[in-house]
């Protein structure tokens, strides 16, 4: 497939990469919406931008809290690193399963519930008595909430944009870099002024802004996102005889009361007001029962349809695994993300070991990675979009630069040397913005959504296992050097 053809297919397809809710057959019949590529669409970009700041930015800044947890609980570095890696890994691993909530409840409700759960995880973690407590409250609860808020943010940007989707997704994902820089500074300040427990409590309050971002995720039409009066479920009307039976039962009851028996005609004249009240009460009772039955029926149909769409979308993709190149790409994803995550979690501790804390406090190394990462995404995206350059060449060169930086990092023991290597890591890791494009080249446009979901899961597993692995290597060797060497070797093997 030629580069130009591949990019045109990618940018012209409506919601192939991220839309888990609509049937492609239905899209062909939809009329253009006035908010597509303009109007409220840019509010979606702003909402997704802040979601990336609050979720991905906070997770990339967890190295600050990791140092505090090591001092507080006196556990091994490998065990303590599980807290951060659980939060990162769960956020990505549950991504495909969050599609079930999106299909059933819609993006808006899913994101708001996720914001509440994420905030609750931060607040409960402030009362942690040991590392295992943090596994539940922060790793699982906050991580699952992050996943529920993160995926709808990506889905809604993909839904609101057609011609400018690449630009919109690029702008919204830069929130990760800005968030890493801002959250690192914020958490360092809060921990220094109020302690790590109060810092997590305050961060929990800040995370409630995810609910505001979710509230901004307005569906394009009332029936598209499950947030309208009838939701996404089809209009499931009860059989006609059920409504007629309710009406006829009321009529029969009235007729029987009128026929009554001998002498009832005179008594009915005196009891007319009471009979009228009884009739109204019976009618209201029948209508309430009918409405309840109709609501339950509609909810059942919505859940069944949402589950089936989710199941067929993610478990009906066995043909993807017959593609050897795609299987190799999955193995690459299993190791690639850990090489990017490990420095974020362990760099603050490495800085302390090298006695560079004062210089790092002025400008944290993780902030250097975050800022340069923003420019890396933009520059690599522009270069890869040039007609004379193959996206795969840009993708592989960026990967090679990242591996080389990981190997050189342990050799640097000065702040200036570490800053240069961190800048290289940040710039080369900008290739993440090219992953949807190279995935499409491997599996085709029709399988991109399912394939990309699998790649995200693989990245989540990488983020889950990478930091604890680096911590365990340090516990055995008392050096972080071997952690980066082994990680770089595994990463290089998957590329070869």
């Amino acid at each position: 497939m030629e580069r130009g053809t591949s990019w045109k297919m990618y940018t012209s397809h409506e919601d192939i990469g991220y839309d888990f809710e609509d049937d492609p057959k239905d899209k062909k019949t939809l009329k253009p919406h006035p908010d597509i590529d303009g109007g409220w669409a840019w509010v979606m970009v702003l909402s997704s931008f802040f979601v990336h700041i609050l979720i991905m930015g906070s997770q990339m800044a967890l190295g600050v809290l990791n140092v505090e947890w090591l001092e507080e609980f006196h556990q091994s570095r490998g065990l303590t690193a599980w807290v951060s890696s659980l939060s990162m890994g769960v956020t990505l691993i549950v991504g495909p399963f969050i599609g079930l909530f999106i299909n059933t409840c819609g993006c808006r409700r899913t994101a708001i519930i996720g914001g509440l759960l994420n905030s609750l995880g931060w607040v409960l973690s402030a009362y942690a008595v040991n590392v295992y407590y943090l596994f539940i409250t922060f790793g699982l609860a906050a991580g699952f909430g992050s996943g529920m808020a993160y995926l709808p943010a990506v889905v809604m940007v993909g839904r609101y944009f057609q011609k400018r989707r690449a630009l919109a997704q690029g702008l919204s994902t830069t929130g990760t870099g800005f968030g890493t820089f801002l959250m690192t500074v914020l958490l360092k300040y809060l921990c220094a002024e109020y302690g790590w427990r109060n810092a997590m409590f305050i961060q929990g309050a800040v995370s409630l802004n995810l609910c505001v971002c979710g509230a901004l995720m307005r569906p394009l039409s009332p029936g598209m996102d499950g947030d309208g009066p009838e939701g996404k479920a089809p209009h499931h009307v009860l059989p006609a005889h059920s409504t007629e039976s309710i009406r006829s039962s009321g009529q029969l009851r009235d007729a029987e009361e009128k026929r009554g028996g001998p002498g009832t005609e005179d008594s009915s004249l005196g009891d007319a007001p009471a009979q009228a009240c009884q009739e109204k009460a019976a009618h209201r009772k029948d209508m309430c029962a009918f409405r309840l039955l109709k609501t339950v029926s509609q909810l059942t149909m919505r859940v069944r349809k949402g589950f089936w769409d989710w199941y067929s979308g993610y478990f009906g993709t066995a043909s993807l695994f017959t593609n050897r190149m795609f299987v190799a790409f999955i193995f690459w994803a299993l190791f690639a993300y850990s090489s990017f995550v490990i420095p974020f979690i362990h760099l603050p501790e490495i800085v302390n070991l090298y006695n560079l804390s004062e210089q790092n406090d002025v400008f944290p190394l993780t902030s250097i990675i975050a800022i340069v990462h923003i420019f890396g995404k933009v520059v690599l995206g522009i270069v890869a979009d040039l007609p004379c350059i193959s996206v795969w060449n840009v993708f592989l060169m960026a990967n090679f630069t990242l591996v080389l930086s990981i190997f050189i990092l342990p050799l640097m023991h000065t702040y200036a040397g570490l800053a240069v290597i961190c800048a290289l890591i940040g710039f080369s890791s900008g290739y993440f913005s090219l992953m949807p494009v190279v995935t499409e080249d491997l599996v085709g446009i029709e399988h991109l959504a399912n394939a990309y979901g699998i790649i995200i899961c693989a990245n989540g597993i990488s983020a889950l296992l990478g930091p604890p692995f680096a911590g365990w290597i340090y516990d055995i060797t008392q050096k972080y050097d071997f952690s980066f060497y082994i990680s770089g070797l595994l990463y290089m093997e998957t590329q070869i």
Side-chain angles (χ1 to χ4, degrees):
M1 181 182 294
E2 294 183 1
R3 175 69 189 94
T5 304
S6 172
W7 179 250
K8 289 179 182 178
M9 290 178 64
Y10 177 70
T11 55
S12 62
H13 195 274
E14 293 196 1
D15 282 329
I16 185 67
Y18 307 97
D19 196 345
F20 297 90
E21 302 178 57
D22 295 334
D23 188 353
K25 296 179 180 179
D26 297 337
K27 289 187 171 111
K28 297 178 181 178
T29 62
L30 291 176
K31 296 181 180 180
H33 195 280
D35 284 331
I36 294 292
D37 291 314
W40 196 259
W42 294 109
V43 178
M44 289 296 99
V45 174
L46 183 65
S47 173
S48 180
F49 176 79
F50 280 106
V51 169
H52 280 82
I53 287 178
L54 293 170
I55 293 179
M56 294 302 177
S58 297
Q59 290 182 347
M60 294 301 177
L62 289 179
V64 176
L65 291 173
N66 190 66
V67 176
E68 300 292 336
W69 293 332
L70 285 171
E71 296 178 358
E72 176 76 18
F73 301 117
H74 304 288
Q75 297 290 339
S76 66
R77 286 168 174 80
L79 183 64
T80 306
W82 266 107
V83 180
S84 303
S85 62
L86 265 177
S87 179
M88 294 182 181
V90 169
T91 299
L92 298 175
I93 291 173
V94 302
F97 302 98
I98 299 302
L100 176 60
F101 291 92
I102 293 178
N103 285 337
T104 305
C105 305
C107 286
R108 176 180 283 173
R109 294 192 183 101
T110 302
I112 291 176
I113 295 172
L116 292 173
L117 185 58
N118 178 265
S119 176
L120 181 64
W122 279 93
V123 171
L124 292 178
S125 299
Y127 302 98
V129 295
N130 52 51
V131 174
Y132 302 100
Y133 183 97
L134 290 173
F135 289 167
I136 304 298
T137 58
F138 193 77
L140 296 180
F144 193 83
S146 296
M148 291 186 71
Y150 174 70
L151 188 59
V154 180
V155 169
M156 291 304 291
V157 172
R159 163 166 289 179
Y160 267 84
F161 284 88
Q162 294 178 6
K163 298 179 181 179
R164 303 177 181 177
R165 178 173 298 126
L167 173 63
Q169 293 287 5
L171 291 175
S172 63
T173 56
T174 55
T176 301
F178 284 107
T180 303
F181 174 74
L182 295 175
M183 291 302 172
T184 299
V185 175
L186 177 62
L187 286 176
K188 287 179 70 70
Y189 172 78
L190 292 177
C191 289
E193 293 293 326
Y194 306 107
W196 72 268
R197 294 184 184 273
N198 290 326
M200 297 196 74
F201 197 92
I202 296 172
Q203 183 63 31
V206 173
S207 296
L208 285 175
N209 286 287
L210 290 170
C211 299
V212 180
C213 296
L216 293 175
M217 296 178 188
R218 186 177 68 188
L220 285 172
S221 64
M224 286 181 62
D225 198 35
D227 293 328
E230 295 297 327
K232 184 174 179 285
H235 296 280
H236 183 68
V237 181
L238 292 178
H241 63 79
S242 62
T243 60
E244 293 296 331
S245 61
I246 294 176
R247 295 176 182 174
S248 61
S249 62
Q251 294 174 357
L252 289 173
R253 188 187 302 110
D254 295 341
E256 291 175 357
E257 291 177 355
K258 289 181 180 179
R259 285 196 298 268
T264 57
E265 184 176 355
D266 296 335
S267 62
S268 63
L269 294 176
D271 298 338
Q275 289 179 357
C277 292
Q278 291 178 358
E279 291 174 3
K280 290 181 179 179
H283 180 70
R284 284 196 297 267
K285 185 176 180 181
D286 290 340
M287 291 305 298
C288 287
F290 174 69
R291 291 194 187 98
L292 178 62
L293 185 61
K294 182 179 179 182
T295 302
V296 172
S297 177
Q298 289 178 347
L299 181 61
T300 302
M301 290 295 295
R302 180 187 296 181
V303 172
R304 288 175 60 186
K305 185 178 185 302
F307 179 79
W308 176 250
D309 291 343
W310 170 78
Y311 180 84
S312 60
Y314 284 97
F315 292 93
T317 58
S319 60
L320 288 174
F321 295 97
T322 61
N323 186 334
R324 295 183 179 180
M325 290 294 293
F326 179 69
V327 173
F329 196 55
I330 294 175
F331 279 102
W332 166 85
L334 284 172
F335 296 99
Y337 203 66
S338 62
S339 299
F340 178 64
V341 172
I342 288 175
F344 278 102
I345 301 302
H346 293 290
L347 262 180
E349 177 68 11
I350 293 173
V351 167
N352 290 340
L353 294 175
Y354 293 167
N355 297 318
L356 301 172
S357 300
E358 293 183 2
Q359 294 171 288
N360 190 65
D361 289 340
V362 176
F363 204 93
L365 293 173
T366 53
S367 297
I368 294 177
I369 297 178
I371 293 174
V372 181
H373 181 68
I374 299 172
F375 293 99
K377 280 188 172 182
V378 176
V379 173
L380 292 179
I382 294 175
V383 172
D385 202 24
L386 295 175
C388 58
I389 297 180
S390 170
V391 64
W392 276 103
N393 290 337
V394 178
F395 184 78
L396 292 175
M397 285 299 296
N399 273 270
F400 177 77
T401 304
L402 180 58
V403 172
L404 186 63
S405 302
I406 294 296
F407 275 118
I408 298 176
L409 181 64
L411 303 178
M412 299 297 169
H413 296 277
T414 63
Y415 178 83
L418 289 172
V420 172
I421 297 302
C422 287
L424 285 175
I425 292 175
F427 185 85
S428 58
S429 60
Y431 73 81
F432 287 120
S433 62
L434 305 177
M435 287 179 60
V437 184
V438 295
T439 304
E440 178 202 338
D441 285 341
L442 288 175
V443 301
I445 193 71
E446 66 277 6
H447 295 300
L448 179 59
N450 297 326
Y452 197 60
I454 296 172
I455 295 300
I456 290 176
C457 273
N459 283 336
I461 296 173
S462 180
L464 180 67
L465 300 179
F469 173 78
W472 288 330
I473 295 297
Y474 179 89
D475 293 333
I476 296 173
T477 63
Q478 295 300 306
K479 288 184 178 181
Y480 278 107
D481 300 11
F482 296 101
S483 302
F484 290 101
Y485 291 148
I486 296 175
S487 176
L489 284 173
L490 293 175
Y491 191 9
M492 182 177 294
E493 287 292 330
T494 57
Q495 293 187 69
I496 295 174

